[in-house]
Amino acid sequence: MAYMGSPIIIDKLLYQPKNSLINQSINAKELEEPLNGDGFGIGWYVPDVNYEPVTFVSINPAWSNRNLRNLAPKIRTECFIAHVRAASVGEVSESNCHPFQYGNLLMMHNGGVENFAAIKRQIREPLSNEFYNWIKGQTDSEHLFALMLHFLFEEGLSVNPESVIQAFERMFDHLHTLMWRGGITEPAYLNMVVTNGLFVVGTRFITDNKETPLTLYHSKAAHYAVENGIGQMRPAETGDRSILVVSEKLSDEKDWTMVPPNHFVVVDSELTVTTRPIKACA
Amino acid sequence: MAYMGSPIIIDKLLYQPKNSLINQSINAKELEEPLNGDGFGIGWYVPDVNYEPVTFVSINPAWSNRNLRNLAPKIRTECFIAHVRAASVGEVSESNCHPFQYGNLLMMHNGGVENFAAIKRQIREPLSNEFYNWIKGQTDSEHLFALMLHFLFEEGLSVNPESVIQAFERMFDHLHTLMWRGGITEPAYLNMVVTNGLFVVGTRFITDNKETPLTLYHSKAAHYAVENGIGQMRPAETGDRSILVVSEKLSDEKDWTMVPPNHFVVVDSELTVTTRPIKACA
Amino acid sequence: MAYMGSPIIIDKLLYQPKNSLINQSINAKELEEPLNGDGFGIGWYVPDVNYEPVTFVSINPAWSNRNLRNLAPKIRTECFIAHVRAASVGEVSESNCHPFQYGNLLMMHNGGVENFAAIKRQIREPLSNEFYNWIKGQTDSEHLFALMLHFLFEEGLSVNPESVIQAFERMFDHLHTLMWRGGITEPAYLNMVVTNGLFVVGTRFITDNKETPLTLYHSKAAHYAVENGIGQMRPAETGDRSILVVSEKLSDEKDWTMVPPNHFVVVDSELTVTTRPIKACA
Amino acid sequence: MAYMGSPIIIDKLLYQPKNSLINQSINAKELEEPLNGDGFGIGWYVPDVNYEPVTFVSINPAWSNRNLRNLAPKIRTECFIAHVRAASVGEVSESNCHPFQYGNLLMMHNGGVENFAAIKRQIREPLSNEFYNWIKGQTDSEHLFALMLHFLFEEGLSVNPESVIQAFERMFDHLHTLMWRGGITEPAYLNMVVTNGLFVVGTRFITDNKETPLTLYHSKAAHYAVENGIGQMRPAETGDRSILVVSEKLSDEKDWTMVPPNHFVVVDSELTVTTRPIKACA
C-alpha cells in the first residue's frame, strides 16, 4: 500500500480499518491463500526533519507488534508505504523485509522471480560497488532494486518519474535476458513501487505478456477516512485529498481503478494519476 | 497435539507433514478463521537425561523459526506436545506461550474464558504461594493451570490420571462459580492437556453443556508415519505403536475418534485410551 | 535518563554521544559491573498529536536495534526518557521493560527489591482492580508503580508534583512495612522517575537511610549539545534550555549536581529544579 | 569454544560455570572491552540421529534466552562449539551468527578483516555457484569460510585435517593478495575453528606476522568438570577425557597451553593434539 497526500495519522491506515493491510494479511480475498506474515514493513517521510524516509520492519506479525501499535497513532505523515511479505526467496529476517531504502527512495515489491538462485550472480555482476554493497539480504526483490538503482543513477541525471520509469524498463529487460539465459521459463511477477516522498511510481508487470500480473489498483484523489471500521475514499474536501495505490482494493467501492496489465502508474506531487504502458520484455 | 508412544523424530510431527500443526495454523479447516500464529510452543521428554521436560517456545511463526527447523530433525522422543496460540487473553510474548511447565508436568489449553479480567483476581486469591508465584504471564490458560495444580498438589497425593482428573473437576467447578459471581455469561472453552511423559489426560469441555466444546480427537494405538507428505496412522507393527490426541484430525481417515463432549480422554503408559464424563459444572 | 525542555531530536541523546545511555550500558563507570542490556526502553511525548506518550521497548540491545536507529534521528520531542534494564526480578521480555505507561504518565525505576517474591502477593492485595489488572509483567518495578498509582489516583485529586510526591511517600512507607513483615532485611534501592510530559519527579531513595542510594544527578537549565561526540550541557541561549536528570553524569563536567540521598528532585514546566527530603521509612 | 571428547551435557559448558563463554561475554578479561553479545550461537553433533550437526543461534543474549536455558541441560553430545559475536562487519541478525554450517562442517571465527567492503566482491568472484549461493549474510567470516570451502571441495578429495589445513592456507594467501590489491593495510585477525564432529582444526593467525594474533588455547586431554561453579580440567579417568580449545582460558590453571602465533591446532578423534605452523602470507 502506498499513500500520498493530506497528512494522516498512520494508525488510520494500519490498525483502525478492519480491511487494512494488517487484517488483509490474515485473509486476503484476491489471493489463493492467506498471506502468512513473513515480515512486515512500513516507511514514511518527515520532511520537517529531513528528506530521508524512516523505515520500521518486523519479522513478528504486525498485529502483535507492541512498538508499532504504540507508534502508529502518533505518526503523522504525507507519504506512507506498507508491505506484508509472503516469503518466496530469502529467509525471514529484518534484512529481507520491505521497504528497501536508498537515499530518499523507498521501494517495495509484490511478486517474485522463480528459481532466482540461477541468476543471482548475474544480477549482481554489473552492479557498481555502491549498489553491490548496498544489498543486505537474499531476496530477489532487493537484488532487482539494486539493479534498478544502478541504472537510475548511472547517468547522473536527476531522480524523477521519467528517469525512474526508464530505469525500471532497463531493469525489466535486463532481467528478462538473464532469465532466458538462466533457463528460467516461469514468468516473473513484478509489481513494484518506488517513492521519494514527492512522487510514486508503481509497476503492474509480468515478464510474459500472455499471463496476468498480480493486481494493482489506484484510487481517485479523494478524502481517506475510516468509517464503521472500514477505510475508504470519500469525495474530497478542498485541500484534503490523497491517493492510495494498493495491491487489493480496500473495499468493494467503485472508486478503485485497476491499473492496466503491464502498465506504470504514476502519482505526482499534485496527486495527478497517470498510467502508461511498460515498454519492456517485448 | 499430543504424541505418546514409540520414539519419534519430532520433525515427522512438525514440518514433514503438509497437514501438521504448523501448516494447519495457516488454514485450519474446522475453525472459522485461520489461526494467526500468536506464538508457538513444543514440549518433550528425554528421560535418559532426567524426568523434567524441555520446552521450546517462540512468538515468531514456527515455519520461519530457524532454530526449530534445525532442532526438529535431531530430537527423538517418546512423548511430545505442540501448541499454536491464537491469542485471546494476554499479549503475545514468550511467557504467554504454551506449553506451561511445572515440575514434570506439561500443560496446554485450546479455548478461552470470555472477560477473564473480571475474575483474574479471584482465580489467584486461593492459590498457595507456590502457584501464585509460578504464574508468569497474563493468560487465562496459565491462571487456570495454576488453580488446577493448586488442587492437584494440595493434598500431597501422587500425580496420576485419577488425581489429575479430580484436580480438573475441582478447577472447572471453581471456575464456574467465579464466572457466575463475576457476571460472565459466555461459556468458557476448556480443551486442556496435561502430561508427565508417562500418561496424558485431555479434556474436551465447555462450561455450558448445552453448547458444543471445541473439537478433540484421539487415534487408535497405531504406527504414525509420513506418507506422501501426509502424517497418518497406519496399522501397528509389534512394539511400534503410538497415540495421537489432536484438536483437528490429521487426515480424513476413519481412524480418528471424536472425544465425546465434556469428557476426559486418558492415555496411559500402555497406550490404552479411555474416556469418561467430566463431572463438573452440573 | 530524563530530558525536558527545548525540542530535541532524540538521536542526539541516544546514539550520537559516545557517553550516551546506550554506550554507558556497555561500560557504566559508576557501577560495579557493566549493564548487560536486559532490555531497553524509551518514551516521549508528541503533544501536537495528543497528550499520551509513546513508548518503544526492546529486549534486543539498543545498539543493534535497526528500527530504533532509524527512528531516533526522526523524532523530535520536548520530553524524553530512556532506560536500560539490568534484570533483577522478572524475566527478560517486553512486558518487563521500562518505561511503564499509565494514561499520560511514564515511569521508570533504577534499583530493586531483594527477595521481592516474598511480598509480591501483599503488594498486589490492596490494589484497586484498575491497577491490579494494569500489571503485565513480573518486575518489582511495575508492582511498585502500580501501588504508587493506586495511591495517586485514590483520592481523585489532580496529578501534579505535589500529589505524585505524596503517592511516592505512601508507597515507600507501605513497601517498608511489607518488607519488615516479609522478613526482607536487605534495603530496597528505589531511584524512580515519573513524568507526564510537563513535569518530572525523580526519587533518589533507599529504604535504610544508613545506606547510600544509587546515584542520581540533575543538570542546570542549559543548552544540551553534542560536541566532539560527547553530549554535554552548555550555557543556555535564550529559550533554548533543557534539564537532564540522569543516573550517571554524562561527562565529568562540573555542571552536574548530585541529588542528595533520600531526596526528591522536581523539574517543573518552567524548568525550575528543586529538591526536597523524602519523608518515608523513618 | 570447542569441546570434543566424552559425552557432556552442554549446560555444564554454557551456564553452570561462572567462567563460561556466556559469562565471559559480560566481562572478558583478556580483551580490551567486554563483548557486547551481538549474537550467540552453538553447534553440536548427535551422531545417533545422523552426521549433520545442529545449530542454535540467537541475536538475544544467551543469558536471557529461555529456550537455550531449557535446552542446555537436556542436550548431551561429544562435540560442541559455541561462539559469542562482537559485530565487526555485518548487521546483527541470525544469518550473521556463527557457527556457519556446510554439510557436516561447523565453522566459527574470532577476529575480523578491516575494511572488508573493499574486497567483498573479489572474495565472492572465484566461488563456485555452490558456495556463492551458500552465503546468507554480510560478514567477513562467512565470506572467508565460503572461500575456504571452495578450496576444500574443489579437488573432490576427502575432508580430513590435512585437506582442511591446505584449504585454510590457500584461503589465507588468497585473502592476503586481495587485501594488498584492495589497499587494506590493517592486518586481518583470523582465529578460526572448523569441525566435522570427529576432528577439530583451529587457526591462530594474523596476516602480518610482526603482529600478535588473538589468543587461543587448548587443554590437555583431561576430565572436564564444574567445581565450585568453575569449569575446569581435572586429571582424566580412563575413557572420560575431552579436549577444549578456547579463545580465553577458563581458569588460571596451568593446564592451558597457548597455541603458538600463526599456528594450527589439530585435535583428532583420539583426542591427540598437535600444532604446526601456518604456511601462508609469508
Side-chain angles (χ1 to χ4, degrees):
Chain A
M1 177 180 75
Y3 172 100
M4 213 169 76
S6 193
I8 191 168
I9 293 286
I10 66 179
D11 193 55
K12 292 192 172 180
L13 292 164
L14 279 186
Y15 288 106
Q16 287 186 26
K18 292 183 253 190
N19 55 335
S20 78
L21 194 66
I22 292 178
N23 295 320
Q24 274 186 20
S25 68
I26 301 171
N27 224 339
K29 303 197 193 81
E30 299 190 55
L31 298 180
E32 244 182 24
E33 331 180 336
L35 293 181
N36 302 329
D38 293 324
F40 182 83
I42 61 175
W44 71 97
Y45 289 81
V46 277
D48 58 306
V49 178
N50 62 37
Y51 291 112
E52 282 201 20
V54 198
T55 61
F56 181 104
V57 302
S58 178
I59 58 172
N60 298 322
W63 56 82
S64 57
N65 193 304
R66 167 193 160 150
N67 287 333
L68 187 55
R69 281 197 174 269
N70 283 347
L71 276 167
K74 294 296 197 296
I75 294 172
R76 189 186 280 129
T77 183
E78 294 181 2
C79 180
F80 171 78
I81 73 178
H83 182 273
V84 176
R85 183 176 177 229
S88 50
V89 178
E91 57 174 29
V92 173
S93 66
E94 286 195 346
S95 316
N96 287 338
C97 287
H98 312 215
F100 301 101
Q101 178 180 352
Y102 180 79
N104 292 357
L105 299 176
L106 287 175
M107 297 154 277
M108 55 184 181
H109 171 213
N110 182 22
V113 179
E114 195 76 16
N115 193 14
F116 173 68
I119 61 169
K120 177 171 166 180
R121 187 167 213 150
Q122 292 76 6
I123 291 268
R124 292 180 74 101
E125 199 257 327
L127 300 175
S128 62
N129 285 341
E130 174 78 2
F131 301 108
Y132 188 94
N133 287 322
W134 172 77
I135 298 171
K136 293 287 183 297
Q138 316 103 32
T139 61
D140 45 4
S141 310
E142 194 187 19
H143 283 74
L144 294 177
F145 284 128
L147 191 58
M148 187 274 289
L149 290 171
H150 173 79
F151 290 137
L152 180 61
F153 288 96
E154 205 178 32
E155 302 184 35
L157 304 175
S158 66
V159 173
N160 53 56
E162 279 307 319
S163 55
V164 169
I165 279 173
Q166 286 177 40
F168 266 126
E169 287 174 341
R170 289 182 68 185
M171 183 269 280
F172 290 157
D173 272 335
H174 189 92
L175 169 64
H176 198 217
T177 303
L178 291 183
M179 286 169 61
W180 175 74
R181 289 186 195 155
I184 301 175
T185 51
E186 284 293 310
Y189 289 83
L190 299 163
N191 282 19
M192 296 178 141
V193 162
V194 173
T195 181
N196 68 345
L198 298 172
F199 67 80
V200 175
V201 173
T203 71
R204 185 184 177 215
F205 191 62
I206 187 167
T207 51
D208 178 349
N209 59 18
K210 291 190 295 306
E211 298 287 338
T212 310
L214 298 175
T215 58
L216 189 68
Y217 301 89
H218 68 86
S219 68
K220 288 196 262 228
H223 169 65
Y224 174 83
V226 181
E227 296 175 8
N228 299 321
I230 303 284
Q232 45 198 314
M233 304 302 286
R234 287 262 154 268
E237 290 97 49
T238 312
D240 181 14
R241 306 179 314 145
S242 52
I243 297 276
L244 274 164
V245 177
V246 289
S247 300
E248 309 220 355
K249 289 186 290 188
L250 288 193
S251 56
D252 295 323
E253 292 276 328
K254 54 183 172 24
D255 289 315
W256 296 98
T257 308
M258 173 84 86
V259 174
N262 287 16
H263 273 61
F264 289 106
V265 56
V266 180
V267 185
D268 70 15
S269 48
E270 316 278 305
L271 299 187
T272 309
V273 184
T274 51
T275 60
R276 81 166 86 168
I278 297 174
K279 298 184 195 142
C281 309
Chain B
M1 177 179 76
Y3 172 99
M4 212 169 78
S6 193
I8 191 168
I9 294 287
I10 68 178
D11 193 55
K12 292 190 170 181
L13 293 163
L14 280 186
Y15 287 106
Q16 287 186 26
K18 293 183 253 190
N19 56 334
S20 77
L21 194 66
I22 293 178
N23 297 319
Q24 274 186 17
S25 70
I26 302 171
N27 222 339
K29 302 195 192 85
E30 300 189 55
L31 298 179
E32 244 184 25
E33 331 181 334
L35 294 180
N36 303 327
D38 293 323
F40 183 82
I42 60 177
W44 71 97
Y45 290 80
V46 277
D48 58 306
V49 178
N50 61 39
Y51 290 110
E52 283 203 18
V54 198
T55 62
F56 181 105
V57 301
S58 177
I59 58 172
N60 298 322
W63 57 83
S64 58
N65 192 305
R66 169 194 157 148
N67 287 332
L68 188 54
R69 281 198 175 269
N70 283 346
L71 276 167
K74 296 295 197 297
I75 295 172
R76 190 185 279 129
T77 184
E78 294 181 3
C79 180
F80 172 78
I81 74 177
H83 182 276
V84 177
R85 181 176 178 230
S88 51
V89 178
E91 59 173 27
V92 172
S93 67
E94 287 195 347
S95 316
N96 286 338
C97 286
H98 312 214
F100 301 100
Q101 179 180 350
Y102 182 78
N104 292 354
L105 299 175
L106 286 176
M107 296 154 280
M108 55 184 182
H109 171 216
N110 184 20
V113 179
E114 195 76 18
N115 194 15
F116 173 68
I119 59 169
K120 179 171 164 177
R121 188 168 213 151
Q122 291 76 7
I123 292 268
R124 291 178 76 101
E125 199 257 328
L127 299 176
S128 61
N129 285 340
E130 175 77 3
F131 301 108
Y132 188 95
N133 287 321
W134 173 77
I135 298 172
K136 293 287 184 299
Q138 316 103 34
T139 61
D140 44 5
S141 310
E142 195 188 17
H143 282 74
L144 294 177
F145 284 128
L147 190 59
M148 187 276 288
L149 290 171
H150 172 80
F151 290 137
L152 180 61
F153 288 96
E154 205 179 32
E155 301 183 35
L157 304 175
S158 66
V159 173
N160 53 54
E162 278 308 317
S163 54
V164 169
I165 280 172
Q166 286 177 40
F168 265 125
E169 287 175 339
R170 288 183 68 185
M171 184 268 280
F172 289 155
D173 271 334
H174 190 91
L175 169 65
H176 199 216
T177 303
L178 291 183
M179 285 169 58
W180 176 74
R181 288 185 196 156
I184 300 175
T185 51
E186 282 294 308
Y189 289 82
L190 298 162
N191 283 19
M192 295 177 140
V193 162
V194 172
T195 180
N196 70 343
L198 298 171
F199 68 79
V200 175
V201 173
T203 71
R204 185 182 177 217
F205 192 63
I206 187 167
T207 50
D208 177 350
N209 59 17
K210 290 191 297 306
E211 298 286 338
T212 311
L214 297 175
T215 57
L216 190 68
Y217 301 89
H218 69 85
S219 69
K220 288 195 260 219
H223 170 64
Y224 173 84
V226 180
E227 296 174 8
N228 299 320
I230 304 284
Q232 44 198 312
M233 304 303 286
R234 287 261 153 269
E237 290 97 48
T238 312
D240 181 13
R241 307 180 311 145
S242 52
I243 296 276
L244 275 165
V245 177
V246 289
S247 301
E248 309 220 355
K249 289 185 291 188
L250 287 195
S251 56
D252 295 323
E253 293 278 327
K254 52 186 175 22
D255 289 316
W256 298 98
T257 308
M258 173 85 87
V259 175
N262 287 17
H263 272 61
F264 288 106
V265 56
V266 180
V267 184
D268 70 13
S269 48
E270 314 279 306
L271 299 187
T272 309
V273 184
T274 52
T275 61
R276 78 164 89 168
I278 297 174
K279 298 185 193 145
C281 310
Chain C
M1 176 180 76
Y3 173 98
M4 211 169 77
S6 192
I8 190 168
I9 294 286
I10 66 179
D11 193 54
K12 291 190 171 181
L13 292 164
L14 279 186
Y15 287 106
Q16 287 186 27
K18 293 183 253 190
N19 55 333
S20 79
L21 192 67
I22 292 178
N23 296 320
Q24 273 186 22
S25 71
I26 301 171
N27 222 340
K29 301 195 194 83
E30 297 189 57
L31 299 178
E32 245 182 24
E33 331 180 337
L35 294 179
N36 301 328
D38 293 324
F40 183 82
I42 61 176
W44 70 97
Y45 289 81
V46 276
D48 59 307
V49 178
N50 61 39
Y51 290 112
E52 283 201 20
V54 197
T55 62
F56 181 104
V57 301
S58 177
I59 58 172
N60 298 322
W63 56 82
S64 58
N65 193 304
R66 170 193 157 148
N67 287 332
L68 187 54
R69 279 196 175 270
N70 283 348
L71 277 167
K74 296 294 198 294
I75 296 172
R76 190 185 279 130
T77 184
E78 293 181 2
C79 182
F80 171 78
I81 72 178
H83 182 273
V84 177
R85 183 178 178 228
S88 49
V89 178
E91 58 173 28
V92 174
S93 66
E94 285 195 347
S95 317
N96 286 338
C97 286
H98 313 215
F100 301 100
Q101 178 180 351
Y102 181 79
N104 292 355
L105 299 176
L106 287 176
M107 296 154 279
M108 54 183 183
H109 171 213
N110 183 21
V113 178
E114 195 76 19
N115 194 14
F116 173 68
I119 60 169
K120 179 171 166 179
R121 187 167 214 151
Q122 290 77 7
I123 291 268
R124 292 178 75 103
E125 200 258 326
L127 299 175
S128 62
N129 284 340
E130 174 79 2
F131 301 108
Y132 189 94
N133 287 322
W134 172 78
I135 298 171
K136 294 284 186 298
Q138 316 103 34
T139 62
D140 45 5
S141 310
E142 195 187 16
H143 282 74
L144 294 178
F145 284 127
L147 191 58
M148 188 274 289
L149 290 170
H150 172 79
F151 291 136
L152 180 60
F153 288 97
E154 206 179 32
E155 302 183 35
L157 304 175
S158 67
V159 173
N160 52 56
E162 278 307 319
S163 57
V164 168
I165 280 172
Q166 285 178 41
F168 265 125
E169 286 174 341
R170 289 182 68 186
M171 185 269 280
F172 290 155
D173 271 334
H174 189 92
L175 169 65
H176 199 217
T177 303
L178 291 182
M179 285 169 60
W180 175 74
R181 288 188 195 152
I184 300 175
T185 51
E186 283 292 308
Y189 289 83
L190 298 162
N191 282 20
M192 295 177 140
V193 163
V194 172
T195 181
N196 69 344
L198 299 172
F199 67 80
V200 174
V201 173
T203 72
R204 185 183 176 215
F205 192 61
I206 187 167
T207 50
D208 177 350
N209 59 17
K210 291 189 295 306
E211 300 287 338
T212 310
L214 297 174
T215 58
L216 189 68
Y217 302 90
H218 69 86
S219 68
K220 288 196 261 224
H223 170 64
Y224 173 84
V226 180
E227 295 175 8
N228 298 320
I230 304 284
Q232 45 197 312
M233 305 302 285
R234 286 261 154 268
E237 291 96 48
T238 312
D240 181 14
R241 306 179 311 147
S242 52
I243 297 275
L244 275 164
V245 178
V246 289
S247 301
E248 309 221 356
K249 289 186 289 189
L250 287 196
S251 55
D252 295 322
E253 293 276 325
K254 54 186 174 23
D255 289 315
W256 297 98
T257 308
M258 173 85 88
V259 174
N262 288 17
H263 273 61
F264 288 107
V265 56
V266 180
V267 185
D268 70 14
S269 48
E270 316 276 306
L271 299 188
T272 309
V273 184
T274 51
T275 60
R276 80 165 88 169
I278 297 173
K279 298 186 196 139
C281 308
Chain D
M1 179 181 73
Y3 172 98
M4 212 169 78
S6 192
I8 191 168
I9 294 286
I10 67 179
D11 193 54
K12 291 190 171 181
L13 292 163
L14 279 185
Y15 288 104
Q16 287 186 27
K18 293 183 248 188
N19 56 334
S20 78
L21 194 67
I22 293 178
N23 297 321
Q24 273 186 19
S25 70
I26 301 172
N27 224 340
K29 305 197 191 83
E30 298 191 54
L31 298 180
E32 248 184 22
E33 329 181 340
L35 294 180
N36 301 329
D38 293 324
F40 182 81
I42 61 176
W44 71 96
Y45 289 80
V46 277
D48 59 305
V49 177
N50 62 38
Y51 291 111
E52 283 201 18
V54 198
T55 61
F56 181 104
V57 300
S58 178
I59 59 171
N60 299 321
W63 56 83
S64 58
N65 193 304
R66 169 195 157 148
N67 287 332
L68 187 55
R69 279 197 176 270
N70 283 347
L71 277 167
K74 296 295 197 297
I75 296 172
R76 191 185 280 129
T77 184
E78 293 180 3
C79 182
F80 171 78
I81 73 177
H83 182 272
V84 176
R85 181 176 179 230
S88 50
V89 179
E91 58 174 27
V92 173
S93 66
E94 287 196 346
S95 316
N96 287 337
C97 285
H98 311 214
F100 301 101
Q101 178 180 352
Y102 182 78
N104 293 355
L105 299 176
L106 286 176
M107 296 153 280
M108 56 183 181
H109 172 213
N110 182 22
V113 179
E114 195 75 19
N115 193 14
F116 172 68
I119 58 170
K120 177 172 165 177
R121 187 167 215 150
Q122 291 77 8
I123 291 268
R124 293 179 74 102
E125 199 257 328
L127 299 175
S128 62
N129 285 341
E130 175 77 3
F131 301 108
Y132 188 94
N133 288 321
W134 172 77
I135 298 171
K136 295 286 184 299
Q138 316 104 34
T139 62
D140 44 5
S141 309
E142 195 187 18
H143 283 74
L144 294 178
F145 284 127
L147 191 58
M148 187 276 288
L149 290 170
H150 173 80
F151 290 136
L152 180 60
F153 288 97
E154 205 177 33
E155 301 182 35
L157 304 175
S158 66
V159 173
N160 53 55
E162 279 307 319
S163 55
V164 169
I165 279 172
Q166 287 178 38
F168 265 125
E169 288 175 338
R170 289 181 68 185
M171 185 268 279
F172 290 156
D173 272 333
H174 190 92
L175 168 64
H176 199 216
T177 303
L178 291 182
M179 285 168 60
W180 176 72
R181 288 186 195 155
I184 300 175
T185 51
E186 283 293 309
Y189 289 82
L190 299 163
N191 283 19
M192 295 177 140
V193 162
V194 172
T195 181
N196 69 344
L198 299 171
F199 67 81
V200 175
V201 173
T203 71
R204 183 182 178 217
F205 191 63
I206 186 167
T207 51
D208 177 353
N209 59 17
K210 291 189 296 306
E211 299 286 339
T212 310
L214 298 174
T215 58
L216 190 67
Y217 302 89
H218 69 85
S219 69
K220 288 195 263 223
H223 171 63
Y224 173 83
V226 181
E227 296 175 8
N228 299 320
I230 305 283
Q232 44 199 312
M233 304 303 287
R234 287 261 154 270
E237 290 97 47
T238 311
D240 181 14
R241 306 180 311 146
S242 52
I243 296 278
L244 274 165
V245 178
V246 289
S247 299
E248 309 219 355
K249 289 185 289 188
L250 289 194
S251 56
D252 295 325
E253 293 277 327
K254 50 184 174 25
D255 288 316
W256 297 98
T257 307
M258 172 85 86
V259 174
N262 287 19
H263 272 60
F264 288 106
V265 55
V266 179
V267 184
D268 69 13
S269 48
E270 315 277 306
L271 299 188
T272 309
V273 184
T274 51
T275 61
R276 80 164 86 169
I278 297 175
K279 298 186 193 140
C281 309

